Amino acid sequence: MPLVSPFETSFGRETDRECVLIEVKSEGLTGYGECVATRDPGYNYETTGTAIHILKDFIVPILLGRDVKDAADFQNLVSGIRGHCLAKAGVEMALWDLLGRRENKSLRELLGGVRDKVEVGVSVGIQPSAQNLVKTVADYVGQGYARIKIKIKPGRDVEDASAVRREFPNIRLQVDANSAYSLDDFQVLKPLDELNLLLIEQPLFEDDIWDHHKLQEQFQTPICLDESIVSPRHARYAIEMNACRVINIKAGRLGGLSQAVMVHDLCREASMPVWCGGMLETGIGRASNVALASLPNFGLPGDISASDRYYARDITNERFALNSDSTIDVPRGAGLGMTIDKDALRKFSLATLSI
Ligand code: OSB
Ligand code: MG
């Protein structure tokens, strides 16, 4: 699906998104889920290719013809498959949608959400220049986004962030490095601590919780972990090691909404604020994110923007719009509360596999 504008991060530049959409049929009902794997293994080792392989050869054969009682039962059934969280999460999402439709309950109700609308921000990719970035940010601020996240990478960090901060002294601003630095870059990163940022997201290696602890010790600004938190266990490690002061929750990275709720609950007990990350989802994945972000401990605005920030045409009939208070409404319909625009789906489909 073509993005309305290219999205550049420290691991690459995307002009379109390859998506794996999952349709699960049971008892005459259909549930939809989105696997957030991308074409290239830049954010995570999984790709759309590995996800299709794991789905087709391992996850689906376990589920076919089986009675799956709930999310815990699903997690138990796929527990023999090591890793591949993005693939598992896509199926779990479809099962939640199916469950909601059967019980006539919204995903928000099923997960225990407490809000009708959630606070959101926008994640701005690396632009050709700092000047360009300031212009792009100004455009989003003009649209009503009250929290801005900018992507950084070596050579495009302090200067970019400072330029945005100079232009917008009071805006809620945060940066995301997507694992582009090591502890040796401490001197390069340290000036970020003077910019009154909400948080610095995943500066160091994706598997390095301990070095984030060392970095956090020397920063006033909260460090936030994204890539590093791949399970509730990893969230506990990060809490116990004081590796961060905020956690970005993505159901995909954690292996499913049920795991995301576990991390939410764990962080609530530890008084660690969380917020909902994004993966440039279609309307399906976005509906899931919005419902998840309605849980009580989501205290910071999510990377959940209006549909028009991502796609001129989405695959759902319903589109998400930004309210004047920088929020997005939580869907009320059964399950994800979304319906598929069949024409759009046909138009964008590269391949279909029926099992
Ligand atoms: O690190 O949060 C990230 C998109 C793809 C992969 C990783 C990330 C992101 C974003 C975009 O920041 C968030 C969004 O969906 O708006
Ligand atoms: Mg991130």
Side-chain angles (χ1 to χ4, degrees):
M1 293 176 62
L3 290 162
V4 293
S5 57
F7 189 68
E8 185 173 334
T9 63
S10 64
F11 58 79
R13 182 183 163 92
E14 286 174 278
T15 54
D16 52 23
R17 245 203 92 216
E18 210 173 84
C19 313
V20 180
L21 185 70
I22 298 160
E23 192 182 47
V24 179
K25 291 182 187 283
S26 179
E27 300 169 0
L29 296 169
T30 300
Y32 286 95
E34 177 173 355
C35 166
V36 296
T38 41
R39 183 170 38 220
D40 306 314
Y43 168 75
N44 183 283
Y45 65 85
E46 291 184 71
T47 66
T48 44
T50 69
I52 290 166
H53 160 55
I54 294 294
L55 287 164
K56 174 168 74 76
D57 296 324
F58 299 100
I59 299 178
V60 174
I62 290 171
L63 299 178
L64 272 186
R66 198 166 221 134
D67 188 17
V68 183
K69 281 194 283 296
D70 52 23
D73 192 20
F74 167 72
Q75 288 293 333
N76 190 40
L77 285 167
V78 298
S79 63
I81 302 167
R82 197 149 334 266
H84 298 284
C85 286
L86 275 50
K88 290 174 188 169
V91 176
E92 207 198 277
M93 191 192 298
L95 294 174
W96 280 106
D97 190 29
L98 202 52
L99 181 68
R101 284 171 197 280
R102 193 182 68 180
E103 313 279 311
N104 196 25
K105 284 191 175 138
S106 67
L107 181 60
R108 176 198 139 172
E109 277 179 275
L110 293 174
L111 296 180
V114 295
R115 301 186 183 103
D116 296 330
K117 50 188 192 167
V118 297
E119 271 199 294
V120 302
V122 65
S123 173
V124 184
I126 295 165
Q127 303 296 312
S129 70
Q131 243 180 338
N132 261 291
L133 174 64
V134 169
K135 266 183 63 187
T136 306
V137 168
D139 186 34
Y140 286 125
V141 171
Q143 288 174 38
Y145 290 103
R147 190 230 65 185
I148 300 290
K149 159 168 139 182
I150 65 166
K151 293 287 187 178
I152 58 168
K153 67 175 180 181
R156 294 298 303 278
D157 37 44
V158 174
E159 211 184 303
D160 276 23
S162 304
V164 174
R165 180 46 92 208
R166 255 195 314 277
E167 192 73 17
F168 302 98
N170 300 316
I171 198 156
R172 292 201 275 177
L173 181 65
Q174 61 194 59
V175 297
D176 186 359
N178 287 111
S179 315
Y181 300 87
S182 75
L183 261 192
D184 298 339
D185 300 313
F186 174 75
Q187 297 298 343
V188 174
L189 294 170
K190 189 58 185 168
L192 291 174
D193 218 9
E194 305 300 316
L195 296 178
N196 186 27
L197 302 176
L198 274 182
L199 56 91
I200 299 171
E201 186 176 346
Q202 196 71 37
L204 311 181
F205 296 114
E206 72 277 9
D207 60 351
D208 201 337
I209 295 178
W210 181 245
D211 276 359
H212 279 104
H213 153 78
K214 290 192 188 169
L215 196 69
Q216 179 67 89
E217 272 192 320
Q218 304 180 74
F219 271 75
Q220 296 291 319
T221 311
I223 302 292
C224 167
L225 292 179
D226 172 355
E227 283 90 329
S228 290
I229 309 299
V230 293
S231 72
R233 254 183 325 104
H234 288 75
R236 180 172 60 77
Y237 300 155
I239 292 165
E240 289 178 2
M241 283 190 228
N242 293 310
C244 60
R245 292 204 209 111
V246 178
I247 287 179
N248 163 327
I249 293 186
K250 290 180 184 169
R253 192 194 65 222
L254 290 161
L257 284 159
S258 62
Q259 309 303 295
V261 173
M262 282 182 198
V263 173
H264 165 274
D265 295 350
L266 208 72
C267 288
R268 183 140 91 144
E269 270 167 49
S271 300
M272 166 122 21
V274 302
W275 56 284
C276 185
M279 293 289 287
L280 311 177
E281 288 88 347
T282 70
I284 293 296
R286 191 165 322 289
S288 168
N289 287 344
V290 172
L292 180 62
S294 74
L295 269 68
N297 192 41
F298 280 83
L300 292 165
D303 271 352
I304 310 170
S305 309
S307 303
D308 64 6
R309 180 258 174 273
Y310 305 95
Y311 304 107
R313 183 154 188 207
D314 208 331
I315 54 158
T316 50
N317 293 311
E318 303 78 11
R319 289 178 70 87
F320 289 96
L322 187 70
N323 299 320
S324 58
D325 57 352
S326 194
T327 62
I328 284 182
D329 294 339
V330 182
R332 294 167 172 275
L336 292 170
M338 306 297 276
T339 57
I340 298 289
D341 175 343
K342 294 267 163 58
D343 288 337
L345 185 58
R346 235 189 323 272
K347 175 176 144 77
F348 291 124
S349 286
L350 298 172
T352 306
L353 178 68
S354 237
I355 307 176

